[in-house]
């Protein structure tokens, strides 16, 4: 049964929805234990990763079948058309249970959220129900080797050829592209205007001969990220999102949704309430301290207490920012505040266990459990300050967009993009 | 401070703001620097008329809240106390009134006088080093026939020299007891201290063989540990809310300064090195609002996480309140460390609230104990 078959005119009360969600979850989903060991960024073997993705699709399909998918998505696109309060109830009931993690970011947000904002009726009808059924996993073709924070400096080019566009270029940092289905791509369609005015957004299937996918090995051995090379990739004009050369209008919302998703503050996302504070949560600190016999050490306790403090502040801060933005008390860009605080939470989560472990953070054995790989987590820590927009960009956004301070000087404003100064690595 | 204030709460808050602006503008605060009471005449009684003392006290004692959630209302006052570096023993008096009211009807006259602002009763809990860690109590309350005998030293006691009575915490055979001690009882010695704050006063109060009838006991003899814990949470939350108000004012003053002050032909607000620090401060500020309000809500609801939320709010605002205030001073340059500039008024209040009712380090220890699952 899809949501379209439910003939309910009045919105379902939150309490009834919660009860319904609870009985579904307890009957169908697996309870999960404490997630992971110290190095939560470590990778699974490919077969296990693919099995996890397959299970995530299954769980998404189960949610669809039980009218729990797309809680805040309009009914005409297969969603339930309910409120963030309903989504929050689902998130709370999911605490401690498996959920379709691989379909949340970037599929539900920012990709589906961007489609909802800018897609045509036909585009939405074609993709959003498929996403909600777990049939389409999306990724972002956004960052490029020559532009990370400066995403509007994209060099990937799209040239019109009749009813089609021909794309050439390279995208990078797409999470799990090798097991995903569709991409949302920012490309340059006009080089003779300033950079923000010559961009256009497209969507296309990832697995086709004109796209070569390479996996990137991170310094801790993780291989979830990919780089893609597009060579004469043909995309029909009907798969263009938004107007030609107006891609930055889409891009601004795209990055807004990305920040909201990073902060787990996105009503079209499903995320267990207990997972919002971080990955393994502060209890792992206690496990590590116990393992190394430092549970009674006041210095260890100070580190544990401070980390717990920082994580406890996260959820109320997100709630405050959401209320502030919804009520017009805070700028829409205030999500960057949660992003910056979230980094503090994660930094503590990846540093303190390592700190507590002493030399065991530098050398461990395969039989170690709690202490396994803590040093790897510490090594790759900064990834969280970079991915999804660096903390430096968040600080720019907060100071310029929230506090209204003057913008940084830039050498690419009011200059045709082809004349913008580029370093040796930034040439197309 | 929450965004979703009711019209009644907003009216109440604005009334307090108007009163503080009239009665305790910054010039008055400076003039009160050496005043023994640290407040204009009749100030506290008039504040009580506005509702500052009634919010945690039930109707049966002449109290009452604005919204039905007395602490939600009181944190609005605490916020404005911070934002105005206001005089008055808001925290010590309200915790004492809560302690008395929560214990039943035994101390109705003291409660009534306290709510009216005619008499002042304050909480005397913290002790001098080395017994100054949060939750440590070594003073004693010893039963002796129909009497109890109170011994020990409390320091610092907010408004200790102005108080007419104290709610004193002590131990009785390993349990915790609270006693209402009149300031003029034989054996009570009050020694005023100098504080970092211009108007908040404190004293060391010594109780030497202070003999009182058993009816002076507040709540059960030897059975007040849970009540005291809740009072510690309450004091921590009010400090956090007051600190947040002082942070907000410091931040607002400094943002304005950054736009107005030019160096090398451009406003301070245009320098990325400074903009990024303003961004960090904005995170600390919003997080302090959120942490304080979440702790207040958990306390009012009697939620299981009230203890952790109160300590998180106190530890966070204590640490980042001081960081923010000092950074605001730094952004101002030399003028920021003068007596003439207003910034230090808020820095002082933040500093005071940081050290009383448990330092950030104390509250981090408590948080660790809670996470470990100890019955701390």
């Amino acid at each position: 049964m899809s949501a379209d078959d439910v003939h309910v005119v009045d919105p379902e009360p939150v309490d009834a929805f919660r009860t319904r969600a609870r009985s579904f979850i307890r009957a169908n989903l697996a309870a999960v234990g404490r997630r992971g060991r110290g190095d939560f960024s470590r990778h699974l073997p490919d077969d296990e990763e693919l099995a996890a993705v397959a299970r995530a699709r299954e769980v998404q399909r189960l949610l669809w079948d039980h009218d729990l998918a797309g809680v805040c998505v309009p009914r005409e696109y297969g969603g339930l058309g309910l409120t963030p309060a309903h989504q929050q109830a689902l998130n709370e009931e999911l605490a401690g249970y498996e959920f379709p993690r691989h379909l949340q970011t970037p599929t539900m947000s920012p990709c589906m959220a961007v489609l909802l904002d800018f897609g045509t009726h036909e585009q939405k009808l074609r993709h959003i129900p498929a996403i909600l059924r777990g049939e389409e996993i999306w990724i972002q073709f956004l960052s490029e080797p020559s532009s990370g924070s400066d995403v509007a400096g994209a060099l990937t080019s799209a040239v019109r050829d009749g009813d089609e566009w021909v794309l050439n270029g390279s995208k990078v940092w797409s999470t799990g592209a090798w097991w995903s289905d569709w991409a949302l791509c920012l490309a340059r369609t006009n080089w003779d205007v300033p950079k923000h005015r010559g961009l256009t957004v497209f969507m296309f299937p990832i697995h086709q001969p004109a796209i070569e996918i390479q996996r990137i090995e991170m310094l801790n051995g993780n291989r979830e990220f990919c780089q893609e090379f597009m060579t004469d990739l043909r995309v029909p004009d009907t798969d263009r999102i938004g107007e030609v050369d107006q891609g930055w209008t889409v891009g601004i919302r795209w990055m807004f949704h990305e920040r909201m998703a990073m902060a787990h503050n996105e009503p079209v996302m499903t995320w267990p309430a207990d997972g919002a504070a971080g990955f393994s949560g502060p209890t792992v600190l206690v496990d590590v301290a116990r393992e190394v016999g430092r549970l009674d050490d006041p210095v260890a306790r100070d580190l544990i207490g401070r980390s717990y403090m920082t994580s406890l502040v996260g959820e109320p801060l997100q709630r405050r920012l959401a209320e502030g933005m919804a009520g017009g008390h805070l700028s829409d860009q205030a999500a960057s505040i949660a992003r910056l605080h979230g980094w503090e939470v994660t930094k503590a989560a990846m540093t303190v266990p390592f700190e507590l472990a002493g030399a065991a953070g530098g050398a461990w054995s395969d039989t170690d459990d709690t202490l396994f790989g803590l040093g790897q987590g510490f090594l790759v820590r900064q990834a969280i300050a970079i991915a999804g927009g660096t903390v430096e960009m968040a600080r720019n956004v907060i100071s310029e967009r929230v506090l209204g301070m003057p913008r940084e000087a830039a050498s690419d404003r009011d200059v045709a993009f082809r004349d913008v100064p580029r370093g040796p690595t930034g040439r197309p | 401070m929450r965004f979703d204030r009711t019209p009644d709460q907003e009216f109440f808050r604005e009334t307090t703001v108007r009163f503080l602006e009239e009665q305790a503008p910054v010039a008055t605060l400076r003039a009160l620097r050496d005043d023994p009471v640290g407040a204009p005449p009749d100030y506290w009684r008039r504040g009580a008329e506005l509702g500052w003392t009634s919010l945690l006290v039930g109707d049966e004692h002449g109290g009452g809240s604005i919204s039905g959630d007395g602490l939600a209302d009181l944190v609005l006052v605490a916020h404005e106390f911070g934002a105005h570096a206001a005089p008055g023993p808001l925290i010590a008096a309200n915790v004492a009134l809560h302690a008395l009211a929560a214990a039943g009807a035994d101390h109705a006259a003291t409660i009534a006088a306290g709510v009216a602002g005619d008499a002042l009763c304050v909480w005397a809990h913290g002790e001098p080093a080395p017994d100054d860690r949060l939750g440590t109590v070594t003073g004693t309350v010893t039963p002796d026939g129909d009497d109890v005998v109170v011994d020990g030293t409390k320091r610092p006691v907010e408004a200790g020299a102005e108080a007419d009575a104290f709610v004193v915490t002590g131990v009785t055979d390993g349990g915790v007891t609270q006693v209402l001690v009149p300031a003029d009882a034989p054996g009570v010695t009050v020694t005023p201290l100098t504080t970092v704050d211009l108007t908040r006063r404190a004293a060391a109060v010594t109780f030497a063989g202070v003999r009182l009838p058993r009816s002076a006991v507040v709540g059960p003899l030897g059975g007040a540990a849970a009540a005291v814990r809740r009072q510690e949470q309450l004091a921590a939350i009010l400090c956090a809310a007051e600190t947040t108000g002082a942070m907000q004012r410091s931040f607002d003053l400094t943002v304005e300064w950054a736009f107005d002050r030019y160096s090398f032909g451009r406003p301070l607000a245009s320098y990325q090195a400074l903009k990024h620090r303003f961004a960090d401060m904005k995170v600390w500020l919003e997080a302090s609002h959120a942490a304080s309000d979440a702790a207040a809500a958990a306390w009012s609801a009697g939620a299981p996480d009230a203890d952790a939320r109160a300590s998180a709010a106190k530890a966070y605002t204590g640490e980042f309140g001081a960081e923010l205030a000092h950074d605001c001073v730094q952004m101002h340059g030399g003028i920021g460390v003068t007596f003439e500039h207003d910034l230090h008024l808020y820095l002082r209040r933040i500093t005071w609230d940081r050290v009383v009712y448990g330092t950030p380090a104390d509250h981090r220890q408590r948080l660790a104990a809670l996470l470990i699952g100890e019955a701390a």
Side-chain angles (χ1 to χ4, degrees):
Chain A
M1 182 174 70
S2 83
D4 295 332
D5 303 323
V6 183
H7 301 289
V8 181
V9 177
D10 290 329
E12 183 177 8
V14 175
D15 287 346
F17 176 82
R18 179 189 293 278
T19 307
R20 191 161 72 73
R22 182 179 303 169
S23 34
F24 161 78
I25 290 164
R26 300 205 173 157
N28 295 283
L29 301 186
V32 290
R34 198 170 286 165
R35 275 196 295 279
R37 297 184 284 189
D39 176 19
F40 50 72
S41 58
R42 77 191 188 289
H43 63 290
L44 294 172
D46 282 2
D47 54 341
E48 288 180 37
E49 178 77 355
L50 289 176
V53 172
R55 176 59 185 166
R57 289 183 194 264
E58 261 174 43
V59 172
Q60 184 63 39
R61 177 70 202 205
L62 281 169
L63 288 170
W64 168 273
D65 289 340
H66 290 81
D67 287 316
L68 291 166
V71 174
C72 293
V73 172
R75 295 173 58 82
E76 63 178 324
Y77 303 122
L80 305 179
L82 295 172
T83 68
H86 291 81
Q87 182 64 57
Q88 179 62 26
L90 177 60
N91 293 349
E92 286 166 12
E93 294 302 323
L94 274 170
Y97 288 88
E98 63 176 333
F99 75 105
R101 174 189 299 272
H102 302 76
L103 280 82
Q104 301 309 318
T105 307
T107 300
M108 300 290 178
S109 175
C111 294
M112 182 182 75
V114 165
L115 261 180
L116 279 166
D117 286 348
F118 294 99
T120 63
H121 182 62
E122 291 71 25
Q123 288 171 339
K124 293 180 197 177
L125 279 179
R126 183 173 160 207
H127 292 287
I128 291 175
I131 289 171
L132 297 180
R133 286 192 299 264
E135 293 160 9
E136 286 184 9
I137 298 181
W138 283 58
I139 52 164
Q140 311 181 70
F141 277 21
L142 186 60
S143 295
E144 298 189 6
S146 64
S147 61
S149 293
D150 182 15
V151 288
L155 300 180
T156 291
S157 76
V159 177
R160 187 142 197 172
D161 180 17
D163 289 339
E164 291 184 327
W165 294 82
V166 181
L167 274 67
N168 282 282
S170 179
K171 293 287 181 178
V172 73
W173 306 126
S174 36
T175 314
W178 62 284
W179 45 252
S180 299
D181 307 304
W182 277 77
L184 191 68
C185 180
L186 183 72
R188 183 155 310 278
T189 41
N190 189 339
W191 297 70
D192 299 320
V193 292
K195 71 173 180 183
H196 292 108
R197 300 214 291 268
L199 295 163
T200 305
V201 175
F202 299 93
M203 59 180 167
F204 43 78
I206 299 162
H207 299 286
Q208 47 176 313
I211 302 177
E212 182 196 341
I213 300 175
Q214 286 181 4
R215 293 169 67 182
I216 300 168
E217 181 172 5
M218 305 299 282
L219 60 84
N220 65 341
N222 183 306
R223 297 179 72 224
E224 69 172 315
F225 290 111
C226 299
Q227 179 170 1
E228 300 81 18
F229 300 87
M230 292 162 278
T231 309
D232 295 335
L233 169 69
R234 301 191 84 86
V235 178
D237 188 53
T238 49
D239 284 344
R240 169 172 49 79
I241 297 173
E243 299 304 311
V244 175
D245 291 350
Q246 300 298 310
W248 194 242
T249 308
V250 182
I252 287 169
R253 286 294 290 176
W254 183 340
M255 264 157 288
F256 167 75
H257 285 299
E258 185 178 37
R259 280 195 293 273
M260 297 293 273
M262 289 283 288
H264 300 155
N265 196 3
E266 180 68 283
V268 295
M269 265 172 62
T270 295
W271 201 271
D274 63 339
F279 296 80
S280 33
T283 52
V284 74
L285 305 179
V286 176
D287 296 340
V288 172
R290 184 176 285 122
E291 184 78 15
V292 295
R294 290 185 68 192
L295 212 47
D296 294 325
D297 176 351
V299 176
R301 282 175 174 248
D302 192 66
L303 291 170
I304 291 170
R306 192 173 184 284
S307 188
Y308 188 29
M309 170 195 86
T310 313
S311 74
L312 276 173
V313 174
E315 180 266 332
L317 176 61
Q318 282 171 23
R319 193 151 25 92
R320 173 179 176 81
L321 296 174
E323 282 174 21
M325 288 187 280
H329 307 286
L330 290 170
S331 148
D332 266 3
Q333 304 295 325
S336 290
I337 294 171
R339 194 271 180 269
L340 208 43
H341 180 81
W343 160 235
E344 293 301 324
V345 175
T346 311
K347 183 167 67 176
M350 299 178 89
T351 306
V352 175
F354 168 76
E355 184 77 16
L356 292 172
W364 58 89
S365 82
D366 284 349
T367 56
D368 283 334
D369 180 21
T370 309
L371 301 179
F372 183 91
L374 290 178
Q376 297 279 30
F378 181 69
L379 291 178
V380 76
R381 183 185 85 173
Q382 291 305 121
I384 310 298
I386 297 166
T390 64
V391 291
E392 286 74 21
M393 289 303 290
R395 289 186 174 101
N396 277 355
V397 170
I398 294 168
S399 54
E400 294 175 3
R401 310 291 288 279
V402 178
L403 300 175
M405 292 180 163
R407 294 188 57 186
E408 285 305 299
S411 307
D412 58 2
R413 234 166 263 158
D414 304 324
V415 178
F417 185 72
R418 65 170 76 256
D419 298 329
V420 169
R422 291 188 188 94
T425 60
R427 306 202 185 281
Chain B
M1 183 160 65
R2 290 166 65 137
F3 293 121
D4 59 347
R5 303 186 293 278
T6 67
D8 285 348
Q9 282 180 319
E10 194 53 12
F11 179 78
F12 171 63
R13 188 188 67 80
E14 284 171 358
T15 306
T16 285
V17 168
R18 269 200 306 280
F19 180 79
L20 293 178
E21 285 171 352
E22 283 167 21
Q23 295 296 309
V26 288
T28 301
L29 300 180
R30 285 192 175 80
L32 289 166
R33 174 187 202 179
D34 298 317
D35 181 89
V37 178
D42 213 27
Y43 168 89
W44 185 248
R45 194 194 58 75
R46 292 180 62 192
E49 281 178 0
L50 299 182
W52 293 354
T53 49
S54 69
L55 298 164
L56 300 181
V57 174
D59 299 340
E60 69 279 14
H61 294 302
S65 70
I66 309 296
S67 66
D69 178 346
L71 183 55
D73 305 333
L74 184 56
V75 295
L76 298 176
V77 180
H79 182 93
E80 296 305 339
F81 261 57
H84 295 83
L90 186 75
I91 298 171
N94 270 294
V95 176
L97 283 166
H98 160 73
L100 294 171
D106 293 346
H107 305 285
T110 306
I111 297 171
V115 168
D118 294 331
L120 178 63
C121 176
V122 297
W123 193 29
H125 180 44
E127 300 190 358
D131 302 315
D132 58 336
R133 297 284 74 130
L134 175 65
T136 303
V137 175
T138 66
T140 56
V141 180
T142 310
D144 182 19
D146 290 339
D147 295 339
V148 289
V149 179
V150 183
D151 286 284
T153 300
K154 297 295 183 180
R155 170 180 177 157
V157 177
E158 282 192 57
E162 297 75 55
D164 302 291
F166 305 99
V167 172
V168 182
T169 53
V171 288
T172 306
D173 292 332
V176 177
T177 300
Q178 299 197 93
V179 190
L180 178 60
V181 181
D184 58 3
V188 176
T189 309
V190 177
T191 310
L193 304 169
T194 304
T195 72
V196 293
D197 195 277
L198 282 192
T199 63
R200 192 152 280 175
R201 297 290 175 259
V205 184
T206 300
F207 304 88
V210 178
R211 180 170 290 274
L212 299 161
R214 281 216 184 204
S215 59
V217 172
V218 178
L221 186 78
V228 168
R229 187 68 171 232
R230 205 160 149 74
Q231 289 163 220
E232 287 175 347
Q233 297 164 7
L234 177 60
I237 293 163
L238 292 171
C239 283
E242 189 171 66
T243 295
T244 303
M247 290 169 74
Q248 181 74 58
R249 176 59 59 93
S250 306
F251 184 74
D252 291 345
L253 283 173
T254 308
V255 169
E256 192 182 339
W257 166 259
F259 279 96
D260 292 346
R261 172 78 173 189
Y262 276 62
S263 296
F264 305 100
R266 42 192 275 218
L268 296 186
S270 70
Y271 287 92
Q272 192 174 44
L274 306 188
K275 284 160 64 183
H276 280 196
R277 283 163 58 188
F278 276 103
D280 285 332
M281 288 197 276
K282 178 69 171 170
V283 174
W284 304 336
L285 175 63
E286 293 302 326
S288 293
H289 278 283
S292 307
D293 292 333
W299 191 91
S300 291
D305 63 351
D307 224 348
R309 295 235 166 257
S311 282
K314 181 70 161 73
Y316 190 91
T317 56
E319 178 179 347
F320 290 104
E323 281 296 311
L324 180 144
H326 281 308
D327 236 14
C328 287
V329 170
Q330 179 68 21
M331 298 281 187
H332 275 79
I335 190 73
V337 279
T338 63
F339 191 78
E340 173 196 347
H341 201 277
D342 291 344
L343 262 184
H344 69 95
L345 303 173
Y346 314 106
L347 170 63
R348 288 171 186 280
R349 185 56 53 89
I350 288 168
T351 303
W352 173 252
D353 283 331
R354 172 181 161 117
V355 297
V356 289
Y357 307 113
T359 63
D362 287 339
H363 284 280
R364 291 195 293 267
Q365 291 290 323
R366 179 164 282 184
L367 284 166
L370 289 165
L371 191 64
I372 290 166
E374 292 170 349

